[in-house]
Amino acid sequence: MVPDVNNERDVVRYYRQPGSRLGYRLFLHGTKHFGFYREHDSPWNWPKALRRMEDVLGERLAQPPGARVLDAGCGVGDVAARLAGRFGLRIDGVDLVAAHVAEARRRARRRGLDPLLTFAHGDYAVLDFPDESFDAVYTMETLVHAAEAETVLREFHRVLKPGGRLVMFEYAREVPTRMPGPAAETFRQLNDWAAMPSFQRFVHGTLERLTAEAGFSVRRVEDISRSMWPMLRSFAVIARLPYAAVRAVGLERYAVNSMSAVEFWRHRAFWRYEIHSAEK
Ligand SMILES: C[S@@+](CC[C@H](N)C(=O)[O-])C[C@H]1O[C@@H](n2cnc3c(N)ncnc32)[C@H](O)[C@@H]1O
């Protein structure tokens, strides 16, 4: 068997499995990131929270209209569409799953945003762009899937112009030996089944260190976990019964999204949702 050095086979398998496709489509209309909540927001108003998280990204990118930006791991392109529509950014999205790219193109056309948005099927560890192509690069909950984050960060550094900005919305976790054994084992299983080898290794401080080692100046790391917890909690409420059912028959690995919702909520003290801002 050919070794899966880029984690491509596992990532594609995870996103193409019926549970993932149905879950993201049913609950988030295909978008695949958490929302940002303010005090008194309803936890069930997911579209509002999703769009606000995308606006927070736009604010952290702080680019003028017309700036050229890379969306690494763009999914179905909803994040890029928001940033193009609201901030006037010109965005190139890249994703490993061909079906995501096709859907991103369809949505851009439907929204009349195709002059600002371009999507390509590919791996962000080996980008098909010349050096210094972009004013900014961002990731929205995808670097956790990388087989080797060092390679990806070097690639982001290469395609950014000098002074260009890198913003990453990613997860970081507690060191396994400081977690209760069953919680650490649950993280290991989930990161394996959801194809997230880099989340398994992103213990607190790791992404900052790797970003600096790739040549960036790290400007700021923000822990915004509490602003996304209402969405995680609402998913955990919905997933509780389906997860209990699959667990009773030992089939958790076929319901990874339900398991993630319940277990990542239960063990929320052991991981954070962070925004990393850096400059080349
Ligand atoms: C959690 S989803 C986030 C999608 C999108 N950023 C959003 O917020 O809706 C992670 C995405 O990263 C993509 N991905 C994972 N590894 C990748 C890689 N090496 N190169 C390009 N895309 C990748 C997946 O296919 C998936 O669409």
Side-chain angles (χ1 to χ4, degrees):
M1 198 195 283
V2 181
D4 190 17
V5 284
N6 294 336
N7 200 29
E8 177 169 356
R9 197 171 41 228
D10 286 347
V11 169
V12 174
R13 187 187 299 134
Y14 167 67
Y15 283 105
R16 296 311 290 157
Q17 69 193 12
S20 288
R21 288 165 64 180
L22 189 72
Y24 286 119
R25 172 121 213 116
L26 211 60
F27 297 123
L28 301 182
H29 189 52
T31 307
K32 297 172 191 67
H33 64 78
F34 284 107
F36 187 102
Y37 291 77
R38 297 222 174 94
E39 223 185 336
H40 309 307
D41 279 349
S42 161
W44 303 99
N45 194 340
W46 298 330
K48 182 174 168 191
L50 289 174
R51 302 295 85 82
R52 193 178 294 117
M53 187 67 95
E54 292 155 4
D55 291 346
V56 172
L57 169 59
E59 286 157 17
R60 296 303 181 275
L61 286 166
Q63 298 297 307
R68 189 162 179 222
V69 177
L70 174 71
D71 179 336
C74 60
V76 297
D78 286 349
V79 180
R82 179 70 173 187
L83 296 179
R86 193 165 170 127
F87 298 89
L89 306 181
R90 289 182 301 136
I91 301 182
D92 284 273
V94 173
D95 202 282
L96 213 45
V97 177
H100 291 173
V101 174
E103 180 60 19
R105 288 182 181 142
R106 267 195 296 276
R107 291 183 186 204
R109 263 196 308 277
R110 246 193 345 253
R111 291 167 167 142
L113 286 168
D114 36 345
L116 289 174
L117 301 176
T118 308
F119 296 104
H121 180 214
D123 183 348
Y124 50 51
V126 277
L127 289 165
D128 205 9
F129 297 100
D131 297 356
E132 303 183 6
S133 297
F134 294 100
D135 300 297
V137 172
Y138 67 84
T139 66
M140 179 61 97
E141 302 182 30
T142 181
L143 203 59
V144 287
H145 288 300
E148 199 183 70
E150 289 88 335
T151 310
V152 179
L153 289 163
R154 277 199 302 272
E155 195 63 347
F156 291 167
H157 194 270
R158 181 185 70 75
V159 298
L160 264 175
K161 294 176 186 168
R165 180 165 281 245
L166 172 65
V167 178
M168 300 180 286
F169 283 50
E170 299 293 340
Y171 320 144
R173 59 166 299 179
E174 182 55 275
V175 179
T177 49
R178 289 202 205 120
M179 294 169 66
E185 175 56 14
T186 299
F187 271 51
R188 192 198 59 74
Q189 276 180 333
L190 279 171
N191 287 333
D192 184 15
W193 295 340
M196 300 196 289
S198 282
F199 186 26
Q200 186 61 16
R201 69 177 282 238
F202 280 177
V203 297
H204 299 312
T206 303
L207 185 53
E208 292 92 301
R209 180 175 56 75
L210 297 182
T211 306
E213 284 171 6
F216 290 95
S217 303
V218 177
R219 296 287 181 223
R220 194 171 169 199
V221 178
E222 300 163 77
D223 174 3
I224 60 158
S225 310
R226 283 173 190 277
S227 302
M228 59 69 90
W229 277 354
M231 184 181 267
L232 179 60
R233 181 164 174 268
S234 66
F235 289 165
V237 168
I238 293 168
R240 200 158 47 98
L241 283 180
Y243 177 48
V246 289
R247 210 174 168 194
V249 288
L251 291 176
E252 301 95 300
R253 71 172 306 150
Y254 299 102
V256 180
N257 289 37
S258 297
M259 179 174 173
S260 303
V262 174
E263 297 290 0
F264 282 140
W265 171 249
R266 192 200 318 269
H267 299 302
R268 61 193 175 281
F270 300 116
W271 69 286
R272 297 181 196 147
Y273 189 100
E274 295 179 337
I275 306 176
H276 293 241
S277 302
E279 261 165 39
K280 174 168 172 178

PDB file of all heavy atoms in Angstrom, residues 6 11 15 24 30-33 71 73-75 79 94-97 100 122-125 140-142 145, ligand 1:
ATOM      1  N   ASN A   6       0.904  12.573   3.241  1.00  0.00           N
ATOM      2  CA  ASN A   6       0.249  13.869   3.435  1.00  0.00           C
ATOM      3  C   ASN A   6      -1.055  13.746   4.210  1.00  0.00           C
ATOM      4  O   ASN A   6      -1.796  14.713   4.318  1.00  0.00           O
ATOM      5  CB  ASN A   6      -0.028  14.543   2.090  1.00  0.00           C
ATOM      6  CG  ASN A   6       1.266  14.899   1.401  1.00  0.00           C
ATOM      7  OD1 ASN A   6       2.284  15.050   2.053  1.00  0.00           O
ATOM      8  ND2 ASN A   6       1.230  15.002   0.099  1.00  0.00           N
ATOM      9  N   VAL A  11      -7.854  12.093   5.449  1.00  0.00           N
ATOM     10  CA  VAL A  11      -8.660  13.327   5.473  1.00  0.00           C
ATOM     11  C   VAL A  11      -9.852  13.172   4.525  1.00  0.00           C
ATOM     12  O   VAL A  11     -10.999  13.450   4.891  1.00  0.00           O
ATOM     13  CB  VAL A  11      -7.810  14.559   5.070  1.00  0.00           C
ATOM     14  CG1 VAL A  11      -8.690  15.779   4.829  1.00  0.00           C
ATOM     15  CG2 VAL A  11      -6.782  14.863   6.140  1.00  0.00           C
ATOM     16  N   TYR A  15     -13.899  13.187   5.532  1.00  0.00           N
ATOM     17  CA  TYR A  15     -14.907  14.150   5.058  1.00  0.00           C
ATOM     18  C   TYR A  15     -15.926  13.537   4.099  1.00  0.00           C
ATOM     19  O   TYR A  15     -17.010  14.087   3.921  1.00  0.00           O
ATOM     20  CB  TYR A  15     -14.234  15.377   4.420  1.00  0.00           C
ATOM     21  CG  TYR A  15     -13.697  16.292   5.488  1.00  0.00           C
ATOM     22  CD1 TYR A  15     -12.340  16.365   5.761  1.00  0.00           C
ATOM     23  CD2 TYR A  15     -14.557  17.054   6.277  1.00  0.00           C
ATOM     24  CE1 TYR A  15     -11.841  17.176   6.776  1.00  0.00           C
ATOM     25  CE2 TYR A  15     -14.079  17.861   7.293  1.00  0.00           C
ATOM     26  CZ  TYR A  15     -12.725  17.924   7.533  1.00  0.00           C
ATOM     27  OH  TYR A  15     -12.255  18.719   8.553  1.00  0.00           O
ATOM     28  N   TYR A  24     -22.460  17.941   8.733  1.00  0.00           N
ATOM     29  CA  TYR A  24     -22.100  19.315   8.346  1.00  0.00           C
ATOM     30  C   TYR A  24     -23.207  19.947   7.492  1.00  0.00           C
ATOM     31  O   TYR A  24     -23.509  21.122   7.617  1.00  0.00           O
ATOM     32  CB  TYR A  24     -20.778  19.337   7.582  1.00  0.00           C
ATOM     33  CG  TYR A  24     -19.561  19.126   8.454  1.00  0.00           C
ATOM     34  CD1 TYR A  24     -18.703  18.054   8.261  1.00  0.00           C
ATOM     35  CD2 TYR A  24     -19.258  20.034   9.478  1.00  0.00           C
ATOM     36  CE1 TYR A  24     -17.578  17.874   9.055  1.00  0.00           C
ATOM     37  CE2 TYR A  24     -18.137  19.860  10.271  1.00  0.00           C
ATOM     38  CZ  TYR A  24     -17.303  18.774  10.056  1.00  0.00           C
ATOM     39  OH  TYR A  24     -16.192  18.601  10.849  1.00  0.00           O
ATOM     40  N   GLY A  30     -22.984  22.896   5.336  1.00  0.00           N
ATOM     41  CA  GLY A  30     -21.711  22.566   4.678  1.00  0.00           C
ATOM     42  C   GLY A  30     -20.502  23.308   5.213  1.00  0.00           C
ATOM     43  O   GLY A  30     -19.362  22.916   4.966  1.00  0.00           O
ATOM     44  N   THR A  31     -20.713  24.413   5.948  1.00  0.00           N
ATOM     45  CA  THR A  31     -19.578  25.122   6.577  1.00  0.00           C
ATOM     46  C   THR A  31     -18.995  24.201   7.646  1.00  0.00           C
ATOM     47  O   THR A  31     -19.731  23.418   8.250  1.00  0.00           O
ATOM     48  CB  THR A  31     -20.075  26.432   7.250  1.00  0.00           C
ATOM     49  OG1 THR A  31     -20.796  27.183   6.292  1.00  0.00           O
ATOM     50  CG2 THR A  31     -18.922  27.262   7.767  1.00  0.00           C
ATOM     51  N   LYS A  32     -17.670  24.322   7.884  1.00  0.00           N
ATOM     52  CA  LYS A  32     -17.059  23.396   8.849  1.00  0.00           C
ATOM     53  C   LYS A  32     -16.175  24.115   9.845  1.00  0.00           C
ATOM     54  O   LYS A  32     -14.966  23.881   9.917  1.00  0.00           O
ATOM     55  CB  LYS A  32     -16.243  22.326   8.097  1.00  0.00           C
ATOM     56  CG  LYS A  32     -17.109  21.464   7.198  1.00  0.00           C
ATOM     57  CD  LYS A  32     -16.281  20.549   6.324  1.00  0.00           C
ATOM     58  CE  LYS A  32     -17.129  19.897   5.269  1.00  0.00           C
ATOM     59  NZ  LYS A  32     -17.660  20.862   4.261  1.00  0.00           N
ATOM     60  N   HIS A  33     -16.772  25.034  10.585  1.00  0.00           N
ATOM     61  CA  HIS A  33     -16.009  25.631  11.691  1.00  0.00           C
ATOM     62  C   HIS A  33     -16.978  26.025  12.793  1.00  0.00           C
ATOM     63  O   HIS A  33     -18.203  26.011  12.590  1.00  0.00           O
ATOM     64  CB  HIS A  33     -15.184  26.829  11.205  1.00  0.00           C
ATOM     65  CG  HIS A  33     -15.978  27.995  10.706  1.00  0.00           C
ATOM     66  ND1 HIS A  33     -16.604  28.895  11.544  1.00  0.00           N
ATOM     67  CD2 HIS A  33     -16.262  28.422   9.447  1.00  0.00           C
ATOM     68  CE1 HIS A  33     -17.216  29.823  10.817  1.00  0.00           C
ATOM     69  NE2 HIS A  33     -17.033  29.559   9.536  1.00  0.00           N
ATOM     70  N   ASP A  71      -6.786  31.079   1.320  1.00  0.00           N
ATOM     71  CA  ASP A  71      -7.581  30.309   2.283  1.00  0.00           C
ATOM     72  C   ASP A  71      -7.104  28.866   2.186  1.00  0.00           C
ATOM     73  O   ASP A  71      -7.437  28.140   1.239  1.00  0.00           O
ATOM     74  CB  ASP A  71      -9.071  30.427   1.934  1.00  0.00           C
ATOM     75  CG  ASP A  71      -9.966  29.628   2.894  1.00  0.00           C
ATOM     76  OD1 ASP A  71      -9.474  28.671   3.512  1.00  0.00           O
ATOM     77  OD2 ASP A  71     -11.155  29.968   2.990  1.00  0.00           O
ATOM     78  N   GLY A  73      -7.265  25.177   3.051  1.00  0.00           N
ATOM     79  CA  GLY A  73      -8.291  24.283   3.595  1.00  0.00           C
ATOM     80  C   GLY A  73      -9.641  24.968   3.579  1.00  0.00           C
ATOM     81  O   GLY A  73     -10.302  25.110   4.607  1.00  0.00           O
ATOM     82  N   CYS A  74     -10.071  25.391   2.380  1.00  0.00           N
ATOM     83  CA  CYS A  74     -11.227  26.311   2.252  1.00  0.00           C
ATOM     84  C   CYS A  74     -12.574  25.641   2.415  1.00  0.00           C
ATOM     85  O   CYS A  74     -13.588  26.325   2.527  1.00  0.00           O
ATOM     86  CB  CYS A  74     -11.166  27.001   0.888  1.00  0.00           C
ATOM     87  SG  CYS A  74     -11.237  25.837  -0.501  1.00  0.00           S
ATOM     88  N   GLY A  75     -12.639  24.291   2.411  1.00  0.00           N
ATOM     89  CA  GLY A  75     -13.937  23.622   2.496  1.00  0.00           C
ATOM     90  C   GLY A  75     -14.839  24.075   1.362  1.00  0.00           C
ATOM     91  O   GLY A  75     -14.387  24.249   0.222  1.00  0.00           O
ATOM     92  N   VAL A  79     -16.330  30.676   4.129  1.00  0.00           N
ATOM     93  CA  VAL A  79     -15.486  31.653   4.836  1.00  0.00           C
ATOM     94  C   VAL A  79     -14.953  32.662   3.820  1.00  0.00           C
ATOM     95  O   VAL A  79     -15.050  33.886   4.007  1.00  0.00           O
ATOM     96  CB  VAL A  79     -14.316  30.941   5.559  1.00  0.00           C
ATOM     97  CG1 VAL A  79     -13.452  31.951   6.284  1.00  0.00           C
ATOM     98  CG2 VAL A  79     -14.835  29.878   6.519  1.00  0.00           C
ATOM     99  N   VAL A  94      -7.808  26.652  -1.376  1.00  0.00           N
ATOM    100  CA  VAL A  94      -7.240  25.353  -1.750  1.00  0.00           C
ATOM    101  C   VAL A  94      -7.806  24.304  -0.803  1.00  0.00           C
ATOM    102  O   VAL A  94      -7.867  24.545   0.408  1.00  0.00           O
ATOM    103  CB  VAL A  94      -5.700  25.383  -1.607  1.00  0.00           C
ATOM    104  CG1 VAL A  94      -5.100  23.996  -1.830  1.00  0.00           C
ATOM    105  CG2 VAL A  94      -5.092  26.380  -2.586  1.00  0.00           C
ATOM    106  N   ASP A  95      -8.234  23.167  -1.348  1.00  0.00           N
ATOM    107  CA  ASP A  95      -8.731  22.095  -0.472  1.00  0.00           C
ATOM    108  C   ASP A  95      -8.396  20.728  -1.059  1.00  0.00           C
ATOM    109  O   ASP A  95      -8.347  20.545  -2.273  1.00  0.00           O
ATOM    110  CB  ASP A  95     -10.241  22.215  -0.247  1.00  0.00           C
ATOM    111  CG  ASP A  95     -10.681  21.512   1.020  1.00  0.00           C
ATOM    112  OD1 ASP A  95     -10.789  20.256   0.990  1.00  0.00           O
ATOM    113  OD2 ASP A  95     -10.873  22.177   2.050  1.00  0.00           O
ATOM    114  N   LEU A  96      -8.191  19.795  -0.130  1.00  0.00           N
ATOM    115  CA  LEU A  96      -7.791  18.432  -0.483  1.00  0.00           C
ATOM    116  C   LEU A  96      -8.961  17.597  -1.002  1.00  0.00           C
ATOM    117  O   LEU A  96      -8.753  16.576  -1.653  1.00  0.00           O
ATOM    118  CB  LEU A  96      -7.259  17.791   0.807  1.00  0.00           C
ATOM    119  CG  LEU A  96      -6.145  16.768   0.787  1.00  0.00           C
ATOM    120  CD1 LEU A  96      -5.014  17.157  -0.118  1.00  0.00           C
ATOM    121  CD2 LEU A  96      -5.650  16.512   2.208  1.00  0.00           C
ATOM    122  N   VAL A  97     -10.194  17.999  -0.697  1.00  0.00           N
ATOM    123  CA  VAL A  97     -11.368  17.200  -1.081  1.00  0.00           C
ATOM    124  C   VAL A  97     -11.994  17.830  -2.335  1.00  0.00           C
ATOM    125  O   VAL A  97     -12.503  18.960  -2.294  1.00  0.00           O
ATOM    126  CB  VAL A  97     -12.391  17.138   0.074  1.00  0.00           C
ATOM    127  CG1 VAL A  97     -13.644  16.380  -0.345  1.00  0.00           C
ATOM    128  CG2 VAL A  97     -11.758  16.497   1.312  1.00  0.00           C
ATOM    129  N   HIS A 100     -15.442  19.362  -2.138  1.00  0.00           N
ATOM    130  CA  HIS A 100     -15.534  20.668  -1.462  1.00  0.00           C
ATOM    131  C   HIS A 100     -15.239  21.793  -2.462  1.00  0.00           C
ATOM    132  O   HIS A 100     -15.915  22.818  -2.485  1.00  0.00           O
ATOM    133  CB  HIS A 100     -14.520  20.756  -0.308  1.00  0.00           C
ATOM    134  CG  HIS A 100     -14.842  19.862   0.851  1.00  0.00           C
ATOM    135  ND1 HIS A 100     -13.989  19.689   1.921  1.00  0.00           N
ATOM    136  CD2 HIS A 100     -15.924  19.106   1.126  1.00  0.00           C
ATOM    137  CE1 HIS A 100     -14.535  18.860   2.786  1.00  0.00           C
ATOM    138  NE2 HIS A 100     -15.703  18.483   2.329  1.00  0.00           N
ATOM    139  N   GLY A 122      -6.149  20.805  -4.133  1.00  0.00           N
ATOM    140  CA  GLY A 122      -4.730  20.586  -3.884  1.00  0.00           C
ATOM    141  C   GLY A 122      -4.415  20.519  -2.409  1.00  0.00           C
ATOM    142  O   GLY A 122      -5.298  20.654  -1.550  1.00  0.00           O
ATOM    143  N   ASP A 123      -3.117  20.334  -2.132  1.00  0.00           N
ATOM    144  CA  ASP A 123      -2.620  20.154  -0.773  1.00  0.00           C
ATOM    145  C   ASP A 123      -1.880  21.428  -0.359  1.00  0.00           C
ATOM    146  O   ASP A 123      -0.961  21.858  -1.070  1.00  0.00           O
ATOM    147  CB  ASP A 123      -1.656  18.954  -0.791  1.00  0.00           C
ATOM    148  CG  ASP A 123      -1.116  18.616   0.570  1.00  0.00           C
ATOM    149  OD1 ASP A 123      -1.284  19.418   1.517  1.00  0.00           O
ATOM    150  OD2 ASP A 123      -0.507  17.534   0.692  1.00  0.00           O
ATOM    151  N   TYR A 124      -2.245  22.012   0.769  1.00  0.00           N
ATOM    152  CA  TYR A 124      -1.577  23.259   1.157  1.00  0.00           C
ATOM    153  C   TYR A 124      -0.127  23.042   1.612  1.00  0.00           C
ATOM    154  O   TYR A 124       0.593  23.997   1.864  1.00  0.00           O
ATOM    155  CB  TYR A 124      -2.388  24.054   2.173  1.00  0.00           C
ATOM    156  CG  TYR A 124      -2.902  23.316   3.404  1.00  0.00           C
ATOM    157  CD1 TYR A 124      -2.064  22.543   4.201  1.00  0.00           C
ATOM    158  CD2 TYR A 124      -4.236  23.439   3.793  1.00  0.00           C
ATOM    159  CE1 TYR A 124      -2.538  21.899   5.329  1.00  0.00           C
ATOM    160  CE2 TYR A 124      -4.723  22.808   4.930  1.00  0.00           C
ATOM    161  CZ  TYR A 124      -3.861  22.027   5.696  1.00  0.00           C
ATOM    162  OH  TYR A 124      -4.333  21.397   6.805  1.00  0.00           O
ATOM    163  N   ALA A 125       0.304  21.792   1.689  1.00  0.00           N
ATOM    164  CA  ALA A 125       1.713  21.537   2.019  1.00  0.00           C
ATOM    165  C   ALA A 125       2.600  21.700   0.783  1.00  0.00           C
ATOM    166  O   ALA A 125       3.820  21.837   0.906  1.00  0.00           O
ATOM    167  CB  ALA A 125       1.870  20.130   2.599  1.00  0.00           C
ATOM    168  N   MET A 140      -8.713  28.105   8.740  1.00  0.00           N
ATOM    169  CA  MET A 140      -9.865  28.043   9.632  1.00  0.00           C
ATOM    170  C   MET A 140     -10.089  26.569   9.978  1.00  0.00           C
ATOM    171  O   MET A 140     -10.661  25.818   9.192  1.00  0.00           O
ATOM    172  CB  MET A 140     -11.086  28.660   8.934  1.00  0.00           C
ATOM    173  CG  MET A 140     -12.368  28.633   9.743  1.00  0.00           C
ATOM    174  SD  MET A 140     -12.295  29.547  11.289  1.00  0.00           S
ATOM    175  CE  MET A 140     -13.034  31.109  10.814  1.00  0.00           C
ATOM    176  N   GLU A 141      -9.525  26.138  11.105  1.00  0.00           N
ATOM    177  CA  GLU A 141      -9.733  24.787  11.637  1.00  0.00           C
ATOM    178  C   GLU A 141      -9.305  23.696  10.651  1.00  0.00           C
ATOM    179  O   GLU A 141     -10.084  22.799  10.336  1.00  0.00           O
ATOM    180  CB  GLU A 141     -11.196  24.605  12.045  1.00  0.00           C
ATOM    181  CG  GLU A 141     -11.640  25.630  13.068  1.00  0.00           C
ATOM    182  CD  GLU A 141     -13.077  25.456  13.547  1.00  0.00           C
ATOM    183  OE1 GLU A 141     -13.548  24.308  13.565  1.00  0.00           O
ATOM    184  OE2 GLU A 141     -13.692  26.464  13.916  1.00  0.00           O
ATOM    185  N   THR A 142      -8.080  23.783  10.174  1.00  0.00           N
ATOM    186  CA  THR A 142      -7.618  22.758   9.226  1.00  0.00           C
ATOM    187  C   THR A 142      -6.195  22.274   9.481  1.00  0.00           C
ATOM    188  O   THR A 142      -5.857  21.145   9.135  1.00  0.00           O
ATOM    189  CB  THR A 142      -7.749  23.286   7.778  1.00  0.00           C
ATOM    190  OG1 THR A 142      -7.314  22.273   6.880  1.00  0.00           O
ATOM    191  CG2 THR A 142      -6.904  24.529   7.535  1.00  0.00           C
ATOM    192  N   HIS A 145      -5.258  18.871  10.720  1.00  0.00           N
ATOM    193  CA  HIS A 145      -5.225  17.693   9.847  1.00  0.00           C
ATOM    194  C   HIS A 145      -3.835  17.453   9.242  1.00  0.00           C
ATOM    195  O   HIS A 145      -3.621  16.411   8.616  1.00  0.00           O
ATOM    196  CB  HIS A 145      -6.187  17.872   8.670  1.00  0.00           C
ATOM    197  CG  HIS A 145      -7.633  17.785   9.029  1.00  0.00           C
ATOM    198  ND1 HIS A 145      -8.191  16.669   9.601  1.00  0.00           N
ATOM    199  CD2 HIS A 145      -8.652  18.673   8.877  1.00  0.00           C
ATOM    200  CE1 HIS A 145      -9.496  16.873   9.780  1.00  0.00           C
ATOM    201  NE2 HIS A 145      -9.790  18.091   9.365  1.00  0.00           N
TER     202      HIS A 145
HETATM  203  C1  LIG B   1     -12.806  21.565   9.424  1.00  0.00           C
HETATM  204  S1  LIG B   1     -12.749  21.763   7.691  1.00  0.00           S
HETATM  205  C2  LIG B   1     -12.753  23.556   7.579  1.00  0.00           C
HETATM  206  C3  LIG B   1     -13.199  24.030   6.229  1.00  0.00           C
HETATM  207  C4  LIG B   1     -13.296  25.552   6.103  1.00  0.00           C
HETATM  208  N1  LIG B   1     -12.065  26.198   6.483  1.00  0.00           N
HETATM  209  C5  LIG B   1     -14.428  26.066   6.963  1.00  0.00           C
HETATM  210  O1  LIG B   1     -14.125  26.748   7.945  1.00  0.00           O
HETATM  211  O2  LIG B   1     -15.587  25.787   6.666  1.00  0.00           O
HETATM  212  C6  LIG B   1     -11.049  21.391   7.257  1.00  0.00           C
HETATM  213  C7  LIG B   1     -10.804  21.466   5.753  1.00  0.00           C
HETATM  214  O3  LIG B   1      -9.415  21.377   5.485  1.00  0.00           O
HETATM  215  C8  LIG B   1      -9.216  20.556   4.339  1.00  0.00           C
HETATM  216  N2  LIG B   1      -7.840  20.033   4.388  1.00  0.00           N
HETATM  217  C9  LIG B   1      -7.294  19.192   5.301  1.00  0.00           C
HETATM  218  N3  LIG B   1      -6.004  18.962   5.023  1.00  0.00           N
HETATM  219  C10 LIG B   1      -5.705  19.681   3.902  1.00  0.00           C
HETATM  220  C11 LIG B   1      -4.532  19.850   3.114  1.00  0.00           C
HETATM  221  N4  LIG B   1      -3.377  19.211   3.405  1.00  0.00           N
HETATM  222  N5  LIG B   1      -4.590  20.664   2.048  1.00  0.00           N
HETATM  223  C12 LIG B   1      -5.750  21.306   1.715  1.00  0.00           C
HETATM  224  N6  LIG B   1      -6.896  21.176   2.422  1.00  0.00           N
HETATM  225  C13 LIG B   1      -6.879  20.367   3.500  1.00  0.00           C
HETATM  226  C14 LIG B   1     -10.300  19.499   4.456  1.00  0.00           C
HETATM  227  O4  LIG B   1     -10.548  18.868   3.239  1.00  0.00           O
HETATM  228  C15 LIG B   1     -11.473  20.337   4.968  1.00  0.00           C
HETATM  229  O5  LIG B   1     -12.217  20.879   3.909  1.00  0.00           O
END
